[in-house]
């Protein structure tokens, strides 16, 4: 294929992506109107490896939603006061009230991934979290909060490429952190932590939803499709709310054994 043909193909792909994204964002607006009208409380958790595309997915979800009823929470390092408090305390203040959608860009699941791998918590704190998190989430669900947990999964080669691009892009310098330098080095440890997290913290009421995210555009579109399919709204176009099951799927042992997770 010639260079001109490659450019035209890429342009067509970008135009098709933009059109599909627009249609899905229209459906998200319908969902939010329904959420506001009926006083629903929605919490969407995004986890995943460094550079897996959490920021980009969240940005596309919230772009056309009402800022009064939509909040993105991306917490920094815990303070000394946070570390001396009940672990979940620093997150509870950000939970959604009636009519709100809150999106966590990383969440309490830091204690299931980054913290044990990097030595930021003790073995006892880690084990306590794994035992406590499902009862905690079930309590929130019983109070009327709908919880959706997405894990964006990427391959080792894709992570290396994205971290390299992040270093070279002057517009992405805010994303660069000391953790980036060891993300690939600790790949196997993060894989083990991810798998243990899935097994110990996925439940029928709050399952993990895995997103294969090597292709950013497909990942974004399919996350939104899945989100629309799970949030109540009779006005949505159900034909648009059908994610590709090869890209987005609930975690279970069969999917893990089928080799669908990055290793």
């Amino acid at each position: 294929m010639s260079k001109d043909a490659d450019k035209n193909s890429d342009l067509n792909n970008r135009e098709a992506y933009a059109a599909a994204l627009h249609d899905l964002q229209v459906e998200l607006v319908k969902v939010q109107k329904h959420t506001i009208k009926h006083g629903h409380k929605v919490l969407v958790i995004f986890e995943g490896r460094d550079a897996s595309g959490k920021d980009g997915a969240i940005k596309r979800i919230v772009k056309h939603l009402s800022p009064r009823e939509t909040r993105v929470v991306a917490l920094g390092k815990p303070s000394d006061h946070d570390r001396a408090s009940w672990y979940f305390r620093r997150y509870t203040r950000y939970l959604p009230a009636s009519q709100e959608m809150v999106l966590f860009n990383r969440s309490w699941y830091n204690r299931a991934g980054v913290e044990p791998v990097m030595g930021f918590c003790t073995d006892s704190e880690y084990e306590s979290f794994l035992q406590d998190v499902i009862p905690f989430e079930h309590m929130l669900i019983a109070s009327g909060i709908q919880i959706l947990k997405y894990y964006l999964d990427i391959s080792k080669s894709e992570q290396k490429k994205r971290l390299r691009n992040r270093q070279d892009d002057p517009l992405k310098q805010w994303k660069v952190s000391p953790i980036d330098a060891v993300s690939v080095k600790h790949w196997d440890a993060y894989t083990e932590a991810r798998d243990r997290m899935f097994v110990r913290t996925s439940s029928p009421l709050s399952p993990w939803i895995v997103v294969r995210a090597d292709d950013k555009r497909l990942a974004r579109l399919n996350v939104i499709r899945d989100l629309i399919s799970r949030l109540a709204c009779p006005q949505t176009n159900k034909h648009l709310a059908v994610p590709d099951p090869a890209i987005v799927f609930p975690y279970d042992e069969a999917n893990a054994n089928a080799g669908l997770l990055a290793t």
Side-chain angles (χ1 to χ4, degrees):
M1 185 180 289
S2 68
K3 290 183 178 180
D4 287 342
D6 283 340
K7 289 180 181 179
N8 289 334
S9 176
D10 184 58
L11 178 62
N12 291 336
N13 289 339
R14 282 190 280 119
E15 289 177 345
Y17 164 72
L21 180 61
H22 173 270
D23 290 344
L24 290 170
Q25 288 170 331
V26 169
E27 299 305 304
L28 280 173
V29 171
K30 295 178 186 177
V31 169
Q32 184 171 55
K33 288 179 66 177
H34 189 80
T35 297
I36 294 170
K37 180 179 179 180
H38 295 278
H40 294 167
K41 295 176 277 189
V42 179
L43 175 63
V44 187
I45 290 173
F46 280 92
E47 292 289 344
R49 298 184 191 265
D50 291 323
S52 60
K54 298 179 291 295
D55 294 325
I58 292 171
K59 180 179 178 181
R60 273 69 180 184
I61 291 169
V62 304
K63 184 174 182 180
H64 297 290
L65 300 183
S66 166
R68 287 192 298 273
E69 288 84 17
T70 310
R71 289 185 286 121
V72 176
V73 178
L75 301 183
K77 294 180 180 178
S79 65
D80 290 342
H81 186 262
D82 290 330
R83 285 190 285 268
S85 303
W86 177 50
Y87 176 71
F88 294 102
R89 179 183 180 277
R90 72 189 296 241
Y91 298 99
T92 56
R93 72 190 75 173
Y94 300 104
L95 292 173
S98 176
Q99 302 184 331
E100 285 188 330
M101 176 187 287
V102 174
L103 299 96
F104 277 6
N105 187 346
R106 294 200 181 277
S107 66
W108 44 74
Y109 283 102
N110 276 330
R111 182 141 292 180
V114 173
E115 290 191 14
V117 171
M118 299 304 298
F120 297 157
C121 69
T122 66
D123 291 344
S124 176
E125 288 170 333
Y126 173 57
E127 182 59 33
S128 293
F129 171 81
L130 293 178
Q131 291 179 11
D132 294 343
V133 66
I134 288 300
F136 172 69
E137 290 177 358
H138 287 183
M139 179 181 66
L140 298 182
I141 293 167
S143 76
I145 297 176
Q146 182 175 0
I147 300 177
L148 299 171
K149 303 189 303 193
Y150 291 98
Y151 186 93
L152 274 58
D153 201 37
I154 56 173
S155 64
K156 189 175 185 178
S157 60
E158 181 65 18
Q159 185 187 55
K160 284 182 178 180
K161 183 177 74 173
R162 293 184 188 181
L163 291 175
R164 199 163 47 241
N165 292 343
R166 180 182 290 182
Q167 292 282 346
D168 297 336
D169 190 337
L171 297 178
K172 295 182 179 179
Q173 292 303 297
W174 61 273
K175 291 187 174 185
V176 178
S177 76
I179 299 293
D180 291 351
V182 295
S183 293
V184 178
K185 177 182 176 183
H186 291 290
W187 177 270
D188 291 340
Y190 275 116
T191 299
E192 291 177 9
R194 176 204 63 190
D195 294 347
R196 193 176 302 116
M197 179 184 75
F198 284 161
V199 171
R200 298 282 299 275
T201 69
S202 199
S203 78
L205 289 180
S206 57
W208 277 106
I209 305 160
V210 181
V211 184
R212 302 180 74 182
D214 273 11
D215 186 315
K216 288 184 179 181
R217 292 175 182 170
L218 285 179
R220 292 166 186 166
L221 294 177
N222 281 281
V223 164
I224 298 175
R225 288 175 183 135
D226 189 83
L227 189 62
I228 294 169
S229 73
R230 294 174 186 274
L231 296 176
C233 179
Q235 290 76 35
T236 54
N237 184 339
K238 300 306 179 185
H239 295 292
L240 292 179
V242 181
D244 183 342
I247 297 175
V248 178
F249 49 88
Y251 168 78
D252 60 32
E253 189 175 353
N255 285 329
N257 292 336
L260 296 179
L261 302 178
T263 57

